[in-house]
Amino acid sequence: MDAGLVAPCESRSADREVRGVKPRPLPKTVAPVPDELLSGWLSRLAAANYCDDAELLAHIKIDSAHGTALDFSVDAAAAEKIANAARVDPDVVRSLTFPAMTTREASLTAQMPFQHCPQCSREGLSLRHWRRAWA
């Protein structure tokens, strides 16, 4: 068989982007719970689809270095990509982030959880109030 007839995977992926075809939705989805952070929901979504967070973000074309940073700010394009992959409304994705905060609120919000519930943690949940010093 002529090797020139089969394009490498990288080319097909690039062709899909050029033609505007979106990555397929994930086979399994999970519903976010009240007070859940976007990074926690993405981790549960990855686990439900038998991959890790970095693989999930790579599939939906989001730089994996921005995983927990998404909790504080998710742009419209990233929210749309996540929503398409998880088959939810982009507003649901945006609702899982911290709202715009004052300087005082930001100073009282930890970058990593400083409290947790063992049962919730076993289920993969990461809740917003676990990062708030006043919680």
Side-chain angles (χ1 to χ4, degrees):
M1 182 168 202
D2 183 12
L5 296 177
V6 178
C9 290
E10 294 81 23
S11 296
R12 280 188 252 136
S13 177
D15 289 345
R16 273 187 251 136
E17 288 178 31
V18 171
R19 286 186 250 146
V21 176
K22 298 174 191 165
R24 289 187 301 174
L26 297 167
K28 295 182 179 181
T29 191
V30 294
V33 298
D35 195 46
E36 187 169 20
L37 280 169
L38 181 56
S39 61
W41 179 64
L42 290 174
S43 291
R44 290 191 316 111
L45 193 58
N49 286 281
Y50 306 103
C51 64
D52 63 27
D53 296 7
E55 291 169 327
L56 176 76
L57 292 174
H59 173 75
I60 56 181
K61 311 272 190 262
I62 295 176
D63 183 4
S64 62
H66 296 104
T68 56
L70 292 172
D71 291 337
F72 293 93
S73 176
V74 62
D75 63 35
E80 186 72 31
K81 289 175 185 179
I82 295 167
N84 287 337
R87 297 184 303 273
V88 298
D89 190 88
D91 288 338
V92 170
V93 174
R94 285 188 286 275
S95 75
L96 298 173
T97 63
F98 285 107
M101 292 185 260
T102 66
T103 306
R104 177 107 172 110
E105 287 175 318
S107 71
L108 295 172
T109 303
Q111 294 295 312
M112 300 300 290
F114 62 91
Q115 56 183 334
H116 71 280
C117 160
Q119 177 63 35
C120 294
S121 295
R122 279 192 291 279
E123 294 173 16
L125 295 176
S126 178
L127 304 177
R128 268 188 288 236
H129 75 273
W130 292 353
R131 293 194 187 175
R132 299 276 171 109
W134 62 84

